[in-house]
mmCIF file with all atom_site columns, all heavy atoms in Angstrom:
data_model
loop_
_atom_site.group_PDB
_atom_site.id
_atom_site.type_symbol
_atom_site.label_atom_id
_atom_site.label_alt_id
_atom_site.label_comp_id
_atom_site.label_asym_id
_atom_site.label_entity_id
_atom_site.label_seq_id
_atom_site.pdbx_PDB_ins_code
_atom_site.Cartn_x
_atom_site.Cartn_y
_atom_site.Cartn_z
_atom_site.occupancy
_atom_site.B_iso_or_equiv
_atom_site.pdbx_formal_charge
_atom_site.auth_seq_id
_atom_site.auth_comp_id
_atom_site.auth_asym_id
_atom_site.auth_atom_id
_atom_site.pdbx_PDB_model_num
ATOM 1   N N   . SER A 1 39 ? 168.795 123.334 115.738 1.00 0.00 ? 39 SER A N   1
ATOM 2   C CA  . SER A 1 39 ? 169.624 124.275 116.511 1.00 0.00 ? 39 SER A CA  1
ATOM 3   C C   . SER A 1 39 ? 168.927 124.627 117.820 1.00 0.00 ? 39 SER A C   1
ATOM 4   O O   . SER A 1 39 ? 169.536 124.599 118.892 1.00 0.00 ? 39 SER A O   1
ATOM 5   C CB  . SER A 1 39 ? 169.890 125.552 115.709 1.00 0.00 ? 39 SER A CB  1
ATOM 6   O OG  . SER A 1 39 ? 170.633 125.247 114.545 1.00 0.00 ? 39 SER A OG  1
ATOM 7   N N   . ASP A 1 40 ? 167.635 124.938 117.725 1.00 0.00 ? 40 ASP A N   1
ATOM 8   C CA  . ASP A 1 40 ? 166.881 125.307 118.936 1.00 0.00 ? 40 ASP A CA  1
ATOM 9   C C   . ASP A 1 40 ? 166.827 124.132 119.922 1.00 0.00 ? 40 ASP A C   1
ATOM 10  O O   . ASP A 1 40 ? 166.970 124.318 121.129 1.00 0.00 ? 40 ASP A O   1
ATOM 11  C CB  . ASP A 1 40 ? 165.453 125.754 118.577 1.00 0.00 ? 40 ASP A CB  1
ATOM 12  C CG  . ASP A 1 40 ? 165.435 127.124 117.894 1.00 0.00 ? 40 ASP A CG  1
ATOM 13  O OD1 . ASP A 1 40 ? 166.498 127.779 117.834 1.00 0.00 ? 40 ASP A OD1 1
ATOM 14  O OD2 . ASP A 1 40 ? 164.355 127.532 117.412 1.00 0.00 ? 40 ASP A OD2 1
ATOM 15  N N   . LEU A 1 41 ? 166.656 122.926 119.400 1.00 0.00 ? 41 LEU A N   1
ATOM 16  C CA  . LEU A 1 41 ? 166.561 121.762 120.283 1.00 0.00 ? 41 LEU A CA  1
ATOM 17  C C   . LEU A 1 41 ? 167.928 121.411 120.890 1.00 0.00 ? 41 LEU A C   1
ATOM 18  O O   . LEU A 1 41 ? 168.015 121.058 122.069 1.00 0.00 ? 41 LEU A O   1
ATOM 19  C CB  . LEU A 1 41 ? 165.982 120.564 119.531 1.00 0.00 ? 41 LEU A CB  1
ATOM 20  C CG  . LEU A 1 41 ? 164.487 120.684 119.172 1.00 0.00 ? 41 LEU A CG  1
ATOM 21  C CD1 . LEU A 1 41 ? 164.040 119.505 118.320 1.00 0.00 ? 41 LEU A CD1 1
ATOM 22  C CD2 . LEU A 1 41 ? 163.618 120.788 120.417 1.00 0.00 ? 41 LEU A CD2 1
ATOM 23  N N   . PHE A 1 42 ? 168.985 121.487 120.092 1.00 0.00 ? 42 PHE A N   1
ATOM 24  C CA  . PHE A 1 42 ? 170.325 121.197 120.624 1.00 0.00 ? 42 PHE A CA  1
ATOM 25  C C   . PHE A 1 42 ? 170.664 122.187 121.744 1.00 0.00 ? 42 PHE A C   1
ATOM 26  O O   . PHE A 1 42 ? 171.199 121.833 122.781 1.00 0.00 ? 42 PHE A O   1
ATOM 27  C CB  . PHE A 1 42 ? 171.382 121.282 119.514 1.00 0.00 ? 42 PHE A CB  1
ATOM 28  C CG  . PHE A 1 42 ? 171.493 120.051 118.640 1.00 0.00 ? 42 PHE A CG  1
ATOM 29  C CD1 . PHE A 1 42 ? 170.430 119.171 118.492 1.00 0.00 ? 42 PHE A CD1 1
ATOM 30  C CD2 . PHE A 1 42 ? 172.681 119.770 117.957 1.00 0.00 ? 42 PHE A CD2 1
ATOM 31  C CE1 . PHE A 1 42 ? 170.525 118.049 117.677 1.00 0.00 ? 42 PHE A CE1 1
ATOM 32  C CE2 . PHE A 1 42 ? 172.792 118.638 117.157 1.00 0.00 ? 42 PHE A CE2 1
ATOM 33  C CZ  . PHE A 1 42 ? 171.711 117.788 117.007 1.00 0.00 ? 42 PHE A CZ  1
ATOM 34  N N   . LYS A 1 43 ? 170.303 123.433 121.507 1.00 0.00 ? 43 LYS A N   1
ATOM 35  C CA  . LYS A 1 43 ? 170.570 124.476 122.513 1.00 0.00 ? 43 LYS A CA  1
ATOM 36  C C   . LYS A 1 43 ? 169.776 124.191 123.794 1.00 0.00 ? 43 LYS A C   1
ATOM 37  O O   . LYS A 1 43 ? 170.287 124.315 124.908 1.00 0.00 ? 43 LYS A O   1
ATOM 38  C CB  . LYS A 1 43 ? 170.235 125.849 121.943 1.00 0.00 ? 43 LYS A CB  1
ATOM 39  C CG  . LYS A 1 43 ? 170.572 126.987 122.892 1.00 0.00 ? 43 LYS A CG  1
ATOM 40  C CD  . LYS A 1 43 ? 170.728 128.289 122.119 1.00 0.00 ? 43 LYS A CD  1
ATOM 41  C CE  . LYS A 1 43 ? 170.854 129.497 123.047 1.00 0.00 ? 43 LYS A CE  1
ATOM 42  N NZ  . LYS A 1 43 ? 171.659 129.277 124.249 1.00 0.00 ? 43 LYS A NZ  1
ATOM 43  N N   . LEU A 1 44 ? 168.537 123.774 123.588 1.00 0.00 ? 44 LEU A N   1
ATOM 44  C CA  . LEU A 1 44 ? 167.671 123.439 124.728 1.00 0.00 ? 44 LEU A CA  1
ATOM 45  C C   . LEU A 1 44 ? 168.285 122.293 125.549 1.00 0.00 ? 44 LEU A C   1
ATOM 46  O O   . LEU A 1 44 ? 168.322 122.346 126.787 1.00 0.00 ? 44 LEU A O   1
ATOM 47  C CB  . LEU A 1 44 ? 166.290 123.063 124.186 1.00 0.00 ? 44 LEU A CB  1
ATOM 48  C CG  . LEU A 1 44 ? 165.174 122.573 125.104 1.00 0.00 ? 44 LEU A CG  1
ATOM 49  C CD1 . LEU A 1 44 ? 163.839 122.812 124.404 1.00 0.00 ? 44 LEU A CD1 1
ATOM 50  C CD2 . LEU A 1 44 ? 165.283 121.106 125.463 1.00 0.00 ? 44 LEU A CD2 1
ATOM 51  N N   . ILE A 1 45 ? 168.798 121.282 124.842 1.00 0.00 ? 45 ILE A N   1
ATOM 52  C CA  . ILE A 1 45 ? 169.410 120.140 125.538 1.00 0.00 ? 45 ILE A CA  1
ATOM 53  C C   . ILE A 1 45 ? 170.602 120.610 126.391 1.00 0.00 ? 45 ILE A C   1
ATOM 54  O O   . ILE A 1 45 ? 170.758 120.210 127.547 1.00 0.00 ? 45 ILE A O   1
ATOM 55  C CB  . ILE A 1 45 ? 169.838 119.059 124.521 1.00 0.00 ? 45 ILE A CB  1
ATOM 56  C CG1 . ILE A 1 45 ? 168.595 118.377 123.922 1.00 0.00 ? 45 ILE A CG1 1
ATOM 57  C CG2 . ILE A 1 45 ? 170.774 118.021 125.167 1.00 0.00 ? 45 ILE A CG2 1
ATOM 58  C CD1 . ILE A 1 45 ? 168.874 117.429 122.765 1.00 0.00 ? 45 ILE A CD1 1
ATOM 59  N N   . ASP A 1 46 ? 171.369 121.504 125.817 1.00 0.00 ? 46 ASP A N   1
ATOM 60  C CA  . ASP A 1 46 ? 172.506 122.082 126.544 1.00 0.00 ? 46 ASP A CA  1
ATOM 61  C C   . ASP A 1 46 ? 172.024 122.893 127.750 1.00 0.00 ? 46 ASP A C   1
ATOM 62  O O   . ASP A 1 46 ? 172.474 122.703 128.878 1.00 0.00 ? 46 ASP A O   1
ATOM 63  C CB  . ASP A 1 46 ? 173.266 123.026 125.590 1.00 0.00 ? 46 ASP A CB  1
ATOM 64  C CG  . ASP A 1 46 ? 174.765 122.757 125.553 1.00 0.00 ? 46 ASP A CG  1
ATOM 65  O OD1 . ASP A 1 46 ? 175.192 121.654 125.973 1.00 0.00 ? 46 ASP A OD1 1
ATOM 66  O OD2 . ASP A 1 46 ? 175.501 123.645 125.090 1.00 0.00 ? 46 ASP A OD2 1
ATOM 67  N N   . ASP A 1 47 ? 171.095 123.810 127.495 1.00 0.00 ? 47 ASP A N   1
ATOM 68  C CA  . ASP A 1 47 ? 170.647 124.760 128.533 1.00 0.00 ? 47 ASP A CA  1
ATOM 69  C C   . ASP A 1 47 ? 169.953 124.053 129.698 1.00 0.00 ? 47 ASP A C   1
ATOM 70  O O   . ASP A 1 47 ? 170.114 124.450 130.851 1.00 0.00 ? 47 ASP A O   1
ATOM 71  C CB  . ASP A 1 47 ? 169.705 125.816 127.944 1.00 0.00 ? 47 ASP A CB  1
ATOM 72  C CG  . ASP A 1 47 ? 170.448 126.799 127.049 1.00 0.00 ? 47 ASP A CG  1
ATOM 73  O OD1 . ASP A 1 47 ? 171.695 126.790 127.071 1.00 0.00 ? 47 ASP A OD1 1
ATOM 74  O OD2 . ASP A 1 47 ? 169.778 127.575 126.334 1.00 0.00 ? 47 ASP A OD2 1
ATOM 75  N N   . PHE A 1 48 ? 169.140 123.030 129.375 1.00 0.00 ? 48 PHE A N   1
ATOM 76  C CA  . PHE A 1 48 ? 168.394 122.330 130.440 1.00 0.00 ? 48 PHE A CA  1
ATOM 77  C C   . PHE A 1 48 ? 169.122 121.066 130.903 1.00 0.00 ? 48 PHE A C   1
ATOM 78  O O   . PHE A 1 48 ? 168.594 120.321 131.705 1.00 0.00 ? 48 PHE A O   1
ATOM 79  C CB  . PHE A 1 48 ? 166.970 121.997 129.973 1.00 0.00 ? 48 PHE A CB  1
ATOM 80  C CG  . PHE A 1 48 ? 166.073 123.200 129.934 1.00 0.00 ? 48 PHE A CG  1
ATOM 81  C CD1 . PHE A 1 48 ? 166.049 124.034 128.826 1.00 0.00 ? 48 PHE A CD1 1
ATOM 82  C CD2 . PHE A 1 48 ? 165.258 123.516 131.018 1.00 0.00 ? 48 PHE A CD2 1
ATOM 83  C CE1 . PHE A 1 48 ? 165.230 125.156 128.790 1.00 0.00 ? 48 PHE A CE1 1
ATOM 84  C CE2 . PHE A 1 48 ? 164.436 124.643 130.990 1.00 0.00 ? 48 PHE A CE2 1
ATOM 85  C CZ  . PHE A 1 48 ? 164.432 125.460 129.868 1.00 0.00 ? 48 PHE A CZ  1
ATOM 86  N N   . ASP A 1 49 ? 170.293 120.842 130.365 1.00 0.00 ? 49 ASP A N   1
ATOM 87  C CA  . ASP A 1 49 ? 171.083 119.676 130.750 1.00 0.00 ? 49 ASP A CA  1
ATOM 88  C C   . ASP A 1 49 ? 170.227 118.401 130.665 1.00 0.00 ? 49 ASP A C   1
ATOM 89  O O   . ASP A 1 49 ? 170.130 117.627 131.617 1.00 0.00 ? 49 ASP A O   1
ATOM 90  C CB  . ASP A 1 49 ? 171.615 119.872 132.184 1.00 0.00 ? 49 ASP A CB  1
ATOM 91  C CG  . ASP A 1 49 ? 172.836 119.000 132.455 1.00 0.00 ? 49 ASP A CG  1
ATOM 92  O OD1 . ASP A 1 49 ? 173.387 118.434 131.482 1.00 0.00 ? 49 ASP A OD1 1
ATOM 93  O OD2 . ASP A 1 49 ? 173.206 118.869 133.626 1.00 0.00 ? 49 ASP A OD2 1
ATOM 94  N N   . VAL A 1 50 ? 169.590 118.247 129.508 1.00 0.00 ? 50 VAL A N   1
ATOM 95  C CA  . VAL A 1 50 ? 168.674 117.108 129.298 1.00 0.00 ? 50 VAL A CA  1
ATOM 96  C C   . VAL A 1 50 ? 169.454 115.798 129.388 1.00 0.00 ? 50 VAL A C   1
ATOM 97  O O   . VAL A 1 50 ? 170.510 115.651 128.756 1.00 0.00 ? 50 VAL A O   1
ATOM 98  C CB  . VAL A 1 50 ? 167.961 117.246 127.932 1.00 0.00 ? 50 VAL A CB  1
ATOM 99  C CG1 . VAL A 1 50 ? 167.184 115.971 127.582 1.00 0.00 ? 50 VAL A CG1 1
ATOM 100 C CG2 . VAL A 1 50 ? 167.026 118.450 127.937 1.00 0.00 ? 50 VAL A CG2 1
ATOM 101 N N   . THR A 1 51 ? 168.915 114.850 130.185 1.00 0.00 ? 51 THR A N   1
ATOM 102 C CA  . THR A 1 51 ? 169.615 113.575 130.375 1.00 0.00 ? 51 THR A CA  1
ATOM 103 C C   . THR A 1 51 ? 169.259 112.586 129.272 1.00 0.00 ? 51 THR A C   1
ATOM 104 O O   . THR A 1 51 ? 168.261 112.758 128.561 1.00 0.00 ? 51 THR A O   1
ATOM 105 C CB  . THR A 1 51 ? 169.238 112.949 131.730 1.00 0.00 ? 51 THR A CB  1
ATOM 106 O OG1 . THR A 1 51 ? 167.844 112.605 131.691 1.00 0.00 ? 51 THR A OG1 1
ATOM 107 C CG2 . THR A 1 51 ? 169.513 113.886 132.895 1.00 0.00 ? 51 THR A CG2 1
ATOM 108 N N   . GLN A 1 52 ? 170.074 111.537 129.162 1.00 0.00 ? 52 GLN A N   1
ATOM 109 C CA  . GLN A 1 52 ? 169.789 110.453 128.208 1.00 0.00 ? 52 GLN A CA  1
ATOM 110 C C   . GLN A 1 52 ? 168.385 109.895 128.457 1.00 0.00 ? 52 GLN A C   1
ATOM 111 O O   . GLN A 1 52 ? 167.620 109.661 127.520 1.00 0.00 ? 52 GLN A O   1
ATOM 112 C CB  . GLN A 1 52 ? 170.813 109.324 128.393 1.00 0.00 ? 52 GLN A CB  1
ATOM 113 C CG  . GLN A 1 52 ? 172.242 109.728 128.182 1.00 0.00 ? 52 GLN A CG  1
ATOM 114 C CD  . GLN A 1 52 ? 172.732 109.453 126.769 1.00 0.00 ? 52 GLN A CD  1
ATOM 115 O OE1 . GLN A 1 52 ? 172.048 108.818 125.985 1.00 0.00 ? 52 GLN A OE1 1
ATOM 116 N NE2 . GLN A 1 52 ? 173.910 109.932 126.454 1.00 0.00 ? 52 GLN A NE2 1
ATOM 117 N N   . GLU A 1 53 ? 168.090 109.692 129.738 1.00 0.00 ? 53 GLU A N   1
ATOM 118 C CA  . GLU A 1 53 ? 166.789 109.106 130.101 1.00 0.00 ? 53 GLU A CA  1
ATOM 119 C C   . GLU A 1 53 ? 165.634 110.005 129.642 1.00 0.00 ? 53 GLU A C   1
ATOM 120 O O   . GLU A 1 53 ? 164.646 109.538 129.068 1.00 0.00 ? 53 GLU A O   1
ATOM 121 C CB  . GLU A 1 53 ? 166.748 108.925 131.614 1.00 0.00 ? 53 GLU A CB  1
ATOM 122 C CG  . GLU A 1 53 ? 165.599 108.087 132.079 1.00 0.00 ? 53 GLU A CG  1
ATOM 123 C CD  . GLU A 1 53 ? 165.621 107.943 133.613 1.00 0.00 ? 53 GLU A CD  1
ATOM 124 O OE1 . GLU A 1 53 ? 166.714 107.906 134.208 1.00 0.00 ? 53 GLU A OE1 1
ATOM 125 O OE2 . GLU A 1 53 ? 164.522 107.897 134.172 1.00 0.00 ? 53 GLU A OE2 1
ATOM 126 N N   . GLU A 1 54 ? 165.756 111.309 129.888 1.00 0.00 ? 54 GLU A N   1
ATOM 127 C CA  . GLU A 1 54 ? 164.707 112.247 129.464 1.00 0.00 ? 54 GLU A CA  1
ATOM 128 C C   . GLU A 1 54 ? 164.573 112.248 127.944 1.00 0.00 ? 54 GLU A C   1
ATOM 129 O O   . GLU A 1 54 ? 163.458 112.241 127.406 1.00 0.00 ? 54 GLU A O   1
ATOM 130 C CB  . GLU A 1 54 ? 165.029 113.667 129.957 1.00 0.00 ? 54 GLU A CB  1
ATOM 131 C CG  . GLU A 1 54 ? 164.804 113.850 131.442 1.00 0.00 ? 54 GLU A CG  1
ATOM 132 C CD  . GLU A 1 54 ? 165.334 115.187 131.952 1.00 0.00 ? 54 GLU A CD  1
ATOM 133 O OE1 . GLU A 1 54 ? 166.332 115.704 131.396 1.00 0.00 ? 54 GLU A OE1 1
ATOM 134 O OE2 . GLU A 1 54 ? 164.743 115.706 132.905 1.00 0.00 ? 54 GLU A OE2 1
ATOM 135 N N   . TYR A 1 55 ? 165.706 112.253 127.249 1.00 0.00 ? 55 TYR A N   1
ATOM 136 C CA  . TYR A 1 55 ? 165.650 112.277 125.792 1.00 0.00 ? 55 TYR A CA  1
ATOM 137 C C   . TYR A 1 55 ? 164.928 111.049 125.251 1.00 0.00 ? 55 TYR A C   1
ATOM 138 O O   . TYR A 1 55 ? 164.004 111.161 124.445 1.00 0.00 ? 55 TYR A O   1
ATOM 139 C CB  . TYR A 1 55 ? 167.053 112.387 125.165 1.00 0.00 ? 55 TYR A CB  1
ATOM 140 C CG  . TYR A 1 55 ? 166.949 112.344 123.666 1.00 0.00 ? 55 TYR A CG  1
ATOM 141 C CD1 . TYR A 1 55 ? 166.516 113.450 122.955 1.00 0.00 ? 55 TYR A CD1 1
ATOM 142 C CD2 . TYR A 1 55 ? 167.194 111.141 122.972 1.00 0.00 ? 55 TYR A CD2 1
ATOM 143 C CE1 . TYR A 1 55 ? 166.333 113.394 121.587 1.00 0.00 ? 55 TYR A CE1 1
ATOM 144 C CE2 . TYR A 1 55 ? 167.010 111.085 121.595 1.00 0.00 ? 55 TYR A CE2 1
ATOM 145 C CZ  . TYR A 1 55 ? 166.578 112.216 120.906 1.00 0.00 ? 55 TYR A CZ  1
ATOM 146 O OH  . TYR A 1 55 ? 166.379 112.154 119.562 1.00 0.00 ? 55 TYR A OH  1
#
Side-chain angles (χ1 to χ4, degrees):
S39 297
D40 288 352
L41 290 175
F42 279 24
K43 184 158 171 39
L44 176 158
I45 290 172
D46 230 18
D47 289 348
F48 286 85
D49 202 12
V50 171
T51 66
Q52 300 265 352
E53 192 180 327
E54 286 171 329
Y55 177 76

